[in-house]
Every structure is written in C-alpha cells, then in structure tokens.
Amino acid sequence: MPLVYGRSIGRSLPKLGSLSCPKRPCYNLNFAPAILNASRSFTFTALRSYADAKLDLPALDLKWRQKWASIPKDTAQDASKHKGKYILPMFPYPSGYLHLGHLRVYTIADVVARFHSLQGHHVMLPMGWDAFGLPAENAAIERGINPATWTKSNINKMKEQLDLMNGSWDWSRELATCDPTFYKHTQKIFLLLHEKGLAYQTEAEVNYDPVDKTVLANEQVDANGCSWRSGAKVEKRKLKQWFLRITEFAEPLLKDLEVLAKNEAWPERVLTMQKNWLGKSTGAIIRFPFEHFPEGGIEVFTSRPDTVCGVQYLALASTHPLVAKLTETDPELQAFLDTLPGLPPDSKVGYMLPHIRVLNPLEHEGKKPDTIPVYIAPYVLGDYGEGAVMGVPGHDVRDHSFWKLHGKDQPVRIVLAASEDESTTAMVNEPFTDHGVMNEHSGPYKGMSSKEAGENIVSLLEKKRFAKPVDKWRLRDWLISRQRYWGTPIPIIHCNSCGAVPVPDDQLPVQLPEVDAHWAGKKTGNPLETLDEWVNTECPKCQGPAKRDTDTMDTFVDSSWYYARFIDPHNPEKPFDAEKAKTKLPVDIYIGGIEHAILHLLYARFIYKFLMSSSLVEETEGIHEPFKRLITQGMVHGKTYTNPATGLFLKPDEVDLTDPLKPKVVATGELATVSYEKMSKSKYNGVDPTGVIAQHGADATRAHMLFQAPVSEILDWDGDKMVGVTRWLGRLWDLVHKLERPVSSQSPKEYFEDTSKKLGSMTPEELARWDADAAVWREVQKTIVSTKTSYEKVYALNTVVSDLMGLSNVILGNYDENNKGGFIVREAVGALFRMMAPITPAFSEECWSVLEPGQGSIFSQSGKVLFPEVDESLELLEPRKQACAVQVNGKLKVVVEVPKPPEGMKGDELREWVVGEVMKSEEGKKKLRESVEKAKKVIVIKEGKLVNFVV
C-alpha cells in the first residue's frame, strides 16, 4: 500500500467478507471466481447488511486498483483488431510532488481515455517524465547529490501519487527523458537534422548569468536585467551556439494552423498566439540613403510603406553593424551602450548619432528631400527586420512615445486619415495606426487609399533601386545550446582538421559522465567543460585528437518528440518504427496547460513535420501535425485568507474556521477576507491532492474537480463542497444494495413494446408503475445522448456530472420499496454506472459488480460492457399525463397532472373533459371547487395544458 494511506490511519476497510451472504457475492478484497461467474439467471435477494455497510471510497480505490492490475492487457496482435485512440496529457516534470493542477489535467485525460475505451476503442494512455532541466541541476547543487538520484527519487514518489488517482496509465510505455535509452534517440534526431543542414552552429549574442555560469532565455531575465534565479546582473556575451533551423518550416507552420482551426480542433486563442509568434509581415525593405553618400544608406523593413511620407527619424538596434563601427570613434556612444543592459525593454531613451543623417527616398517633384536624424534606441530589436525601424510618430504608438521625448520642437506629421475629410481621425496628440486615406502631406498620393498608396510607393522605389518587396518573420531559429550538465549531450565532436563531426551511430548514446565530486562540492557551472577525460577524444573521421561538444540541449528538444516515442518505447535501434508511426500517429487528443501554447507546441509541430518527411518515415505527402485535437485546461486556484487590516496572507493556524462561513483572524477576531488565488507557498493556499484523496477517495475527488468548473476555466478549489459529491455517491451506494435482480430475458425496449399493448386494460396501480418506468427510461435515453456529447466535447465534462446527478434523482424518485425498484429501475441504474464509470471508476466497478456479478470489469477491454446506447424507445415513452396549469382570473392557482386528451377532441367536449380530469385530482378538489361553481367562463388552450376559470 502506498505510504500516503498512512494519512488515513484509523480508517478500516469494510469487513464485508465476514458478512453472511448466501446468495450475493462477498465483497472482501479476494474475489471468489465461482461466485463472480454466477449466471445472470440467478435471482438474488437484497440483504439489509449491505445497505448498512458504510461506503468507504478509499478502500474501494485500493481494491479496484489491485483488481485492474490483474486484468490482462490486450496484446499488440489483439490491439490491432480494435479502433485506436491515442490520448495524451502533457508529461510532468518530476519535482517530487503532485499539485492540484496535475490532478486536474490527469483526471481529464483519464476520464477521456476511459470513455473512449467504453466506446470500443483500443486506447493508448501513456505516461512519462520530462526529467532533464535546470531545476534538477540546481537542486543537485543545493543538496550535494547527483541530479539523476534526485530525479529518479522524485519519479518514484510521483508515480505512487499518480496511481492513487485511479488512472488507467499504460506503465509499460513509461519513459523518462533523462534515460540514455531515450536521449540516444534525441541525439539521433539531432544528427538527422544536422545531416539536412537544419542543425548548425554559429556565434550569437546571449544572456549570460555570471554566477550560475549559464545561458538564460529572455524570459529568465527580469525587467532590471537580472537573472531570475541568482539575481546577478546578466551579461551579453557572444558564444558559439547550436541552432535548429525552424525558420525553414515557417510557411507550413503558419499555413497548417488553418487545418487545426477546423471544427475547433485547437482553441482559437492558442492558434492566435502561434500565429503572432510566427509573426509573418508582408512589406518592403526600403533604403534611406545617407545625406552625403547617396550610394550607401540604411535599410529598414516596414510593413507600412504607405507611411514613408511620415518618417521623421530612423532608429537602430544597439547591435546594428553601423553602431559597432561608430563606437570605435565615439566614446559617448559606447558609454550609452553600456547603460542599455540595465534599462527596461520599453525604455524610450535614445542616442542621436551626431554626424549621420539620411534622406527620405520618396522625393516629391519640386521638393527638396527631407533630412532625417538617426538614433540608437533600446526598443528596436536587432533580430527583427534589419535591426532598424523608420520612426513614424503620427502612425505608430512606440514611435510616437519616442518622438515626444526626443523631437519636442518638431510637430508630429500626419500623412493619412480615417476618411477623406479627416472628420473621424484621432486627435492630433494620438497616432492614427489604421489604414485609411492619404492626405495632402503625402504629395501625389493624396486621396488614394493607404493600401493602394503603399503598393504604388514600393513599385516606384523598386524602380529606383531604393526598395524591394519582402516577407519578414518574427520567428527566429531555435537556439538549443545550454551550458549545463543535466541535459542531452550534443553528439558532435570538434576536430581542428575535420571541423564539426557527428558521433557515429554505433557510439550513441553519448552519455553524461559521473561527476559526483562536482555535486558533493556544490559547485556551479557546467562540469562537462572541465572533465578532460570525457572531453578529449578522437575524431571519427581522421582519428586525430578532437574534443566533444560540452553543451547540452534545451529540454524543449526532448518534449518536441516524446509523444512519438510512446508508440514504440522499447525500440533500441530507431526512435520509432515507421509503420507504427503511420498507424498510431498523430495523437488524437492532447491535453495540457495554456502556458505551453507557444514554444512547446510550436517546437513539437516543427519536429513532427521534419520527422514525417525524414528517412525515419518518408511520409512526404499530406499535412503533418502531431496533435489532431488540443484541450487546454484552466488553472486551479486555492482559497486564500487575508487580514483585512494589514492585507497580509494568513497562515492556517492564524485563521479560526470554527464557522467555515465566517472565518476569523485569530489575533483580532475580525472576519478574514476570503478570495481565490493561484496556489503558492507564500499565500498558504496550497492543497495536497494526496491528502484529499486519502480522506475522500479518488473518485469523489475526481467527480468534485470536474463538477466545479468547465474544463477550460479556472477552478476555484473548495474542499468543503466535496460533501455534495460524497452524498450523491452514498445515496447510489445504498440504492444498489437494495435492488433485487429480477429475472428477465427482455431488453427495456422489448418490455415497453409488450407492456404498451396492455395500457387500456391496466389497473391504476399498474398505470402508475408504467408512468414511473417510462419517466425513468426517458431520462436514461436523454442522459445517454447528453453525456456522450459532453464526453466527446471534453470541455463540458462538468455537465456530465450534473446530468448524471439529475438522472440519479429521477431514479431515486421512482424507486419503489415494495418491489425493490423493478426491472426498469434496475436497468437504469446499470446504465447510470456505465455512464459514471469514466469519472468514478472504482465506485462504478464496485456497484456494477453488485448489480451484475457475472459480467466482470467494466474496463475489461473484452467489449462485453460498453457505454450505453440509445435504444429508440422514446416514441413508446410519451407521457400519458401532462402538467395542466390552472388559473383563476388569469392568476395561477395550482398545477395538476392530468391525462393527455384523446386525439381529435376539441371545443366544448375538450373543455368538459379537461375540467373533469382537473377536478378528479386531490388538489383540484381542495382548491378549485368554489371557482368551478362560480365560473362564468372556462378557457382551455394548448391542448389542455392551460385552463383559466373566469369568475
């Protein structure tokens, strides 16, 4: 038993094995096979002892996890006979503990997988570990232990926790990216990219942390230019780095978003984020000639050539080649550049180059060309366009802000407006950024639409060799080099004679060497750089002395292809088999957080497109996307208490929860402020999911988590409300142990077909039973449709729980103690548990085994027990009665149940018939006798559904 059950000491498993049960199977942990295979024709008598047995959900979890573990899985040969579904949640980083966000995404994944298995699909639901990365290395340094030891320990803990969720993970496919059997193939994929010229090494300016001695991504540098971890001032260094040429795939990455948009397969906001990151801009490169050297000049990319007439300055990035040249003779410029690393990214400071001015290439006839100042500005990015922008204060927000500071004595030039008469133009102190109509400041283009003017301007400047039309992308090649130990080693050997040489296939994987002394000494930096015995090797080409590459790969490389390894996780020779790739990929449903909407998904799309066209698969035709459908779940927020007097977050022991509805500050007695915030240690609002499961059981926790919010929205976790779900399960537990198992060879539809023929001769008691049965089975049919639709949509899983609760209420409302519910109620309960099974698997299995002791597990993969289907019985189940609203002088008096009027009845005959039926009811007799006697007029409408007595 996992250690987490230590939390529930004092909770004992139900001693059901000791109960006297001559005719029902016993429910201890050891099933008696002979009893389990009892024939369906047996008739069982309900024993009160079962209904009295307390529902212990954690005990059922344990029992059924053991039971599921004993069920044989489909072999590969058997699996090929089934329709396949590949369901995949984003794999976790093994930090050592699960939080409620993990619980939510993995619950969703398991529910979807179990639903599809009940639809007859052979479902693949693997699990693995995103195990490389900086956090593990930093933890190793802090603890003085090998990161592999720390990581593997965390994997074991989290695997135990995952099993507590009642998940149906296929652990036979488990992988960890830090395992050499996995990263061997990451290295193979790198070498395939290298062979095609898509992996290359070049010098690049990077963010370097001098304390942690590592390269940082832009996102790891704060607004003050400091490292997110060490707090050290980040340095800009030129280092030789490895890149993957993702820009070669820019067009298909953009174009194929249209495929992912169809039928809302991917969320619209994710598609928008991907599109913006790719950042395709159609425009032109325009050369602004130097004032005294017209053959030279500064090239600028712009997507708005219609605003060239409004250019009032040029701005260069600090890395522009011209800047580097000028710093050699301009110490003031160098001093300015030295201040830039400490400035925020949106800073509007600038340095005007003192002896450089350029001309606007768009000369107007009879007018001297404008001379334009040139600035160095930190808001200009060196890796976009040409590292230069044309400043148009009248039509760009950033340019406007910059010019307000630097061009105070120069009026802002407006060259186009929203309309020809400028009546709808923004105020002069705000830039007009939309397309519109050119005005008189645009010379010969006045009155022309700005889009048409832009085309004409580019055409004119192209003839004069001042412009050329181009497309530009925000996307940059993917920098994968990391100067850290805990990552996939780059499989390249550097030889002075042969250059960069790939490690031969038979020498893969290049494994990380043991460096225990480094961790024991709690040293920072990359130990690979100083490990001469590992670094020094021989060149595979010339057998001369050479050195291994000491960089490791960005962990995004591992996660860009792990989903493909799951389909063939034990293949020693290849990342995966080509035939398996063609039959099992892409992933049908991919589930994870919105925080991975850009980089992880973009890199996965790039690598998948490459792999499908590589020698591994050679699937050159068609559109290749790794994830057919993407589900993004919302975050989980925790209940947070703050002191209203100080605004400080309160620790658990600082809050008096004697009355949960009125939490008080212990120190002052004041009511605490309650809110829901992102869970964090500093807010004292974290919740241990294993503790919740140990107390309430996995099934109640799963159902509660799904019920509280739609999948895509933020979930405000409130464990106090769990009682609603546990009460629901408890009522069903009591019911299933009361039900008899009547003998019947008929299906419900056949039962209704036969019984409907006898309606005319039934007694009132028999008609009442028919009405109750029809009401129950109608609700079953409707719920089958609604739950199946919601399971398929995924985002509406909360409505599955509410619909099942609604069906439960109808069943319980029509349960008859005298005949133990009858055949239809029993069949309805069976359908209910099969619909519940994906959400509450252990509870549903237990109840199903009571209800159908010879049917085996709901999830046996035998196809014997499946999700219920509608049986086309609804047309037989039209209610015999209808609600009749009775008004007196237009005011509602009472609503009574009356039979439906005979077909074709109208006028006076209908009126008399309806009044007679109303007055047969007890409520009618009590509340309407006087009104009926005094009525001057009786109005019956809607075929007897509304009666108005005018008194």
Side-chain angles (χ1 to χ4, degrees), residues 751-763 766-767:
Y751 163 79
F752 284 114
E753 286 173 339
D754 289 348
T755 311
S756 65
K757 298 171 185 176
K758 308 170 189 174
L759 286 176
S761 59
M762 283 184 179
T763 65
E766 290 171 333
L767 287 172

Side-chain angles (χ1 to χ4, degrees), residues 60-86:
L60 294 184
D61 292 341
L62 178 60
K63 169 184 174 178
W64 282 99
R65 283 200 296 273
Q66 292 175 340
K67 184 72 177 169
W68 292 324
S70 69
I71 297 174
K73 303 290 185 186
D74 278 350
T75 64
Q77 185 176 359
D78 293 334
S80 66
K81 298 175 184 177
H82 297 273
K83 293 180 288 182
K85 280 285 181 181
Y86 184 0

Side-chain angles (χ1 to χ4, degrees), residues 288-291 297-298 314 356-360 370-374:
F288 287 77
F290 292 121
E291 182 179 13
I298 297 173
L314 295 190
I356 302 287
R357 291 185 81 84
V358 295
L359 303 176
N360 191 320
D370 293 330
T371 60
I372 300 170
V374 180

Side-chain angles (χ1 to χ4, degrees), residues 25-277:
C26 298
Y27 290 94
N28 61 358
L29 295 183
N30 297 310
F31 280 54
I35 296 175
L36 279 176
N37 294 323
S39 169
R40 183 180 170 89
S41 63
F42 286 180
T43 300
F44 295 92
T45 303
L47 297 180
R48 187 68 229 168
S49 57
Y50 281 99
D52 291 340
K54 184 181 178 183
L55 172 61
D56 191 334
L57 289 167
L60 294 184
D61 292 341
L62 178 60
K63 169 184 174 178
W64 282 99
R65 283 200 296 273
Q66 292 175 340
K67 184 72 177 169
W68 292 324
S70 69
I71 297 174
K73 303 290 185 186
D74 278 350
T75 64
Q77 185 176 359
D78 293 334
S80 66
K81 298 175 184 177
H82 297 273
K83 293 180 288 182
K85 280 285 181 181
Y86 184 0
I87 314 296
L88 183 65
M90 294 180 184
F91 64 168
Y93 172 74
S95 59
Y97 66 95
L98 290 178
H99 52 67
L100 280 177
H102 288 120
L103 184 63
R104 191 180 195 193
V105 66
Y106 298 132
T107 294
I108 293 165
D110 184 61
V111 167
V112 173
R114 288 186 182 275
F115 166 72
H116 283 288
S117 72
L118 291 179
Q119 291 285 298
H121 296 287
H122 180 268
V123 174
M124 186 165 65
L125 181 66
M127 180 54 69
W129 312 96
D130 193 7
F132 271 140
L134 187 62
E137 188 160 342
N138 286 333
I141 293 168
E142 288 173 7
R143 292 164 175 77
I145 60 171
N146 192 312
T149 304
W150 187 80
T151 300
K152 288 172 185 175
S153 171
N154 289 345
I155 287 173
N156 291 334
K157 291 177 194 173
M158 290 179 72
K159 190 172 178 180
E160 281 187 358
Q161 292 174 309
L162 276 171
D163 278 335
L164 296 178
M165 293 170 52
N166 290 348
S168 53
W169 319 113
D170 183 353
W171 289 115
S172 71
R173 297 180 183 274
E174 181 182 10
L175 60 81
T177 58
C178 65
D179 188 327
T181 62
F182 178 88
Y183 71 70
K184 168 185 178 178
H185 300 291
T186 304
Q187 291 172 342
K188 285 196 172 194
I189 291 170
F190 174 90
L191 292 177
L192 283 173
L193 288 158
H194 186 265
E195 181 186 331
K196 297 295 183 183
L198 297 172
Y200 65 95
Q201 192 178 31
T202 189
E203 272 205 344
E205 186 176 73
V206 295
N207 303 309
Y208 188 81
D209 183 330
V211 172
D212 276 347
K213 299 179 181 177
T214 186
V215 168
L216 300 174
N218 289 333
E219 293 79 9
Q220 295 170 326
V221 181
D222 67 20
N224 297 315
C226 297
S227 167
W228 68 288
R229 177 174 170 76
S230 70
K233 202 72 173 177
V234 169
E235 300 172 0
K236 292 288 186 181
R237 289 193 181 181
K238 282 260 187 180
L239 293 176
K240 251 195 168 181
Q241 303 283 283
W242 283 98
F243 292 82
L244 299 185
R245 211 179 295 274
I246 189 174
T247 50
E248 287 289 311
F249 289 75
E251 279 292 355
L253 286 170
L254 178 62
K255 185 179 178 183
D256 292 349
L257 291 176
E258 298 172 7
V259 176
L260 301 177
K262 290 179 180 177
N263 302 315
E264 299 180 334
W266 279 39
E268 185 178 349
R269 62 174 175 160
V270 174
L271 298 174
T272 300
M273 292 163 81
Q274 291 256 314
K275 192 173 184 178
N276 290 342
W277 191 264

Side-chain angles (χ1 to χ4, degrees), residues 633-779:
Q633 88 284 354
M635 296 180 67
V636 181
H637 286 183
K639 188 181 284 188
T640 311
Y641 301 99
T642 52
N643 188 326
T646 63
L648 297 175
F649 296 111
L650 296 169
K651 299 176 183 177
D653 60 358
E654 295 174 335
V655 186
D656 179 2
L657 294 174
T658 306
D659 182 352
L661 299 177
K662 295 181 179 179
K664 295 180 180 178
V665 181
V666 171
T668 64
E670 286 186 86
L671 288 176
T673 302
V674 180
S675 62
Y676 286 90
E677 310 276 349
K678 181 179 178 181
M679 291 185 178
S680 70
K681 291 179 182 178
S682 63
K683 296 173 183 175
Y684 314 108
N685 65 346
V687 176
D688 176 11
T690 56
V692 176
I693 290 172
Q695 181 180 355
H696 299 286
D699 284 359
T701 305
R702 287 160 63 116
H704 175 70
M705 177 163 274
L706 293 177
F707 182 49
Q708 289 300 298
V711 165
S712 61
E713 294 183 11
I714 289 172
L715 168 63
D716 291 333
W717 178 261
D718 188 347
D720 296 336
K721 294 179 180 177
M722 187 86 75
V723 65
V725 167
T726 53
R727 187 181 295 124
W728 170 48
L729 299 180
R731 291 169 70 200
L732 294 176
W733 173 262
D734 290 342
L735 173 63
V736 77
H737 287 99
K738 292 176 184 177
L739 290 175
E740 285 186 344
R741 189 173 185 277
V743 177
S744 176
S745 59
Q746 288 184 308
S747 69
K749 183 181 180 184
E750 291 168 339
Y751 163 79
F752 284 114
E753 286 173 339
D754 289 348
T755 311
S756 65
K757 298 171 185 176
K758 308 170 189 174
L759 286 176
S761 59
M762 283 184 179
T763 65
E765 291 77 14
E766 290 171 333
L767 287 172
R769 183 71 259 159
W770 165 274
D771 290 339
D773 285 346
V776 168
W777 203 246
R778 267 198 314 273
E779 193 64 24

